[in-house]
């Protein structure tokens, strides 16, 4: 180092640089100003100010994880499935669904016990911009019904009901949803003396936070929860914490217009159970492929292939290596 410094000091000084025009910046400045490139004129952009009185409306409280659930919770099935939907009018349609597969029976041992089963489902749908009626009737005697009615421009009523022939298994829920300019509120009333309410508010253009409470009168239980959601054009991150001991996190990264990667993490403080999973969602020109791998050793994949207009081919697979439980299914959906 010393010889290099002495050699540099003994060298002849460089010739003087040509004179700079008046007001022009020198080619080499002092300190960091001489190292960093100079900004062209007119590139100084003003910081965009956030209008906190005009924030966007957040997603509903129960849908803050919808992007992650789309990739990590596909509609897996086992056996043969066939769905047919026929539009009778622009607002009314009938549907038929057949499922032949296996049903897992609870057992005391670690072995998985399955019995063959089959099911037929008849459905009727009425869709209108302000009114939606959906009904499903199964061969086992269950009846599912959903109603969504827009009472006003901001207030909507939702009804979910399930009626069964078995006593104490029928359920009903009434939801009143109010949509504000930058917030949403919901009040719930259900059977078994269930009461619940939630509220979610946009804090910034990308961040929304909310809370919920519920009371189950028949079991004399109550709870409170908090959540937050941060989303941009490329990612969505969520956090949920509840007094029941549940902590859930999810993250979705949009790699491109056709590829999304997702992961989630859940911790149950009561049972000390921890689960996590990683999944993907790949949309091709004629098909859509989704899959996941979780910390319990379960690998799943779901493929939707478009064969023609209104005709889709389905493939479903789920492999549980620790329990040696394997589920495979294929099906087809026909209809508008």
């Amino acid at each position: 180092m010393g010889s290099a410094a002495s050699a540099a000091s003994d060298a002849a000084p460089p010739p003087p640089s040509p004179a700079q025009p008046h007001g022009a910046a020198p080619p080499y400045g002092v300190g960091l100003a001489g190292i960093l490139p100079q900004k062209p004129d007119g590139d100084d952009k003003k910081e965009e100010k956030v209008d906190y009185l005009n924030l966007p409306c957040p997603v509903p409280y129960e849908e803050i994880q919808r992007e992650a659930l789309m990739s990590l919770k596909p509609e897996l099935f086992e056996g043969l499935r066939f769905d047919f939907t026929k539009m009778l009018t622009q607002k009314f349609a009938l549907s038929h669904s057949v499922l032949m597969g296996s049903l897992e029976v609870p057992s005391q041992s670690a072995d998985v016990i399955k019995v063959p089963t089959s099911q037929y489902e008849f459905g009727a749908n009425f869709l209108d911009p302000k009114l939606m009626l959906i009904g499903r009737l199964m061969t086992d005697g269950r009846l599912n019904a959903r109603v969504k009615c827009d009472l006003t421009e901001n207030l909507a009523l939702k009804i979910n009901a399930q009626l069964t022939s078995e006593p104490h298994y029928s359920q009903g829920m009434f939801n009143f949803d109010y949509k504000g300019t930058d917030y949403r509120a919901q009040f719930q009333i259900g059977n078994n003396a269930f009461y619940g309410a939630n509220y979610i508010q946009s804090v910034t253009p990308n961040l929304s936070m909310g809370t919920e409470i519920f009371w189950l009168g028949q079991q004399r239980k109550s709870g409170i929860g908090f959540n937050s959601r941060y989303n941009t054009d490329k990612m969505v991150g969520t956090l949920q914490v509840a007094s029941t001991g549940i902590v859930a996190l999810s993250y979705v990264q949009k790699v491109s217009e056709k590829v999304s990667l997702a992961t989630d993490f859940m911790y149950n403080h009561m049972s000390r159970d921890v689960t996590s999973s990683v999944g993907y969602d790949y949309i091709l020109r004629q098909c859509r492929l989704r899959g996941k791998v979780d910390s319990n050793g379960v690998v799943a994949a779901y493929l939707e292939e478009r064969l023609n207009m209104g005709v889709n081919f389905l493939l479903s697979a789920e492999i549980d290596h620790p329990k040696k439980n394997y589920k495979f299914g294929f099906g087809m959906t026909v209809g508008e």
Side-chain angles (χ1 to χ4, degrees):
M1 291 295 292
S3 60
S6 61
S9 60
D10 295 339
S17 58
Q20 299 292 331
H22 179 69
Y28 301 99
V30 180
L32 291 177
I35 300 175
L36 299 176
Q38 300 295 325
K39 291 184 179 180
D41 295 339
D43 279 8
D44 294 335
K45 297 181 179 179
K46 297 181 180 179
E47 295 184 0
E48 296 182 359
K49 294 184 178 180
V50 178
D51 186 4
Y52 289 98
L53 298 179
N54 191 22
L55 296 176
C57 186
V59 300
Y61 190 93
E62 65 273 12
E63 297 182 11
I64 64 168
Q65 290 186 334
R66 60 187 181 186
E67 292 85 0
L69 295 178
M70 187 66 66
S71 302
L72 301 174
K73 304 292 183 182
E75 192 178 352
L76 301 173
F77 62 94
E78 183 179 11
L80 171 65
R81 171 183 166 185
F82 179 76
D83 299 326
F84 176 75
T85 303
K86 177 62 177 178
M87 295 293 299
L88 301 181
T89 65
Q90 294 182 351
K91 298 182 179 180
F92 186 71
L94 296 179
S95 64
H96 306 269
S97 179
V98 178
L99 177 63
M100 294 183 290
S102 301
L103 179 65
E104 295 185 11
V105 179
S107 62
Q108 299 293 337
S109 63
D111 298 334
V112 179
I113 301 177
K114 297 183 180 182
V115 295
T117 182
S118 61
Q119 178 179 297
Y120 167 74
E121 179 182 287
F122 173 76
N125 307 323
F126 179 81
L127 303 177
D128 186 77
K130 293 187 177 181
L131 179 63
M132 181 183 70
L133 304 174
I134 298 177
R136 297 290 185 269
L137 179 62
M138 276 70 75
T139 52
D140 57 1
R142 289 182 298 165
L143 173 64
N144 296 332
R146 293 176 55 193
V147 179
K148 182 180 181 298
C149 178
D150 294 337
L151 304 178
T152 64
E153 185 177 354
N154 298 327
L155 181 62
L157 169 64
K158 296 179 182 179
I159 303 175
N160 297 324
Q162 182 181 32
L163 303 178
T164 64
S165 57
E166 301 179 7
H168 310 294
Y169 278 90
S170 298
Q171 298 179 357
M173 181 75 68
F174 291 82
N175 298 338
F176 295 91
D177 297 349
Y178 185 82
K179 178 182 177 182
T181 56
D182 58 355
Y183 67 92
R184 290 178 183 265
Q186 184 183 76
F187 180 69
Q188 301 173 322
I189 304 176
N191 60 329
N192 298 325
F194 174 83
Y195 300 95
N198 60 64
Y199 177 86
I200 186 168
Q201 170 75 54
S202 292
V203 182
T204 68
N206 302 109
L207 177 64
S208 58
M209 305 180 70
T211 182
E212 68 172 342
I213 58 173
F214 71 88
W215 164 256
L216 191 56
Q218 187 173 7
Q219 300 180 4
R220 313 293 294 180
K221 292 183 178 180
S222 63
I224 185 172
F226 303 93
N227 72 16
S228 62
R229 171 188 169 98
Y230 186 85
N231 64 285
T232 63
D233 296 336
K234 295 294 184 180
M235 57 79 66
V236 177
T238 65
L239 168 65
Q240 289 182 295
V241 180
S243 60
T244 54
I246 298 296
V247 179
L249 298 93
S250 69
Y251 179 81
V252 178
Q253 177 69 46
K254 189 175 182 181
V255 181
S256 65
E257 293 295 333
K258 298 182 179 180
V259 182
S260 297
L261 301 178
T263 181
D264 68 345
F265 173 86
M266 180 175 291
Y267 170 68
N268 191 332
H269 181 71
M270 302 300 179
S271 61
R272 305 293 181 178
D273 187 19
V274 180
T275 58
S276 62
S277 60
V278 179
Y280 59 89
D281 189 352
Y282 192 15
I283 302 177
L284 298 172
R285 188 170 60 90
Q286 293 289 339
C287 73
R288 182 176 187 178
L289 178 63
R290 289 175 284 176
K292 72 162 186 176
V293 180
D294 64 19
S295 57
N296 294 325
V298 180
V299 182
Y302 187 77
L303 173 68
E304 299 174 87
E305 176 75 23
R306 182 180 179 183
L307 303 180
N308 204 341
M309 182 66 68
V311 180
N312 296 328
F313 178 68
L314 308 177
L315 282 177
S316 175
E318 184 179 14
I319 302 177
D320 190 344
H321 291 286
K323 296 182 180 180
K324 297 182 180 180
N325 187 12
Y326 312 106
K327 301 178 182 179
F328 299 94
F330 65 96
M332 183 172 293
T333 61
V334 180
E336 297 84 354

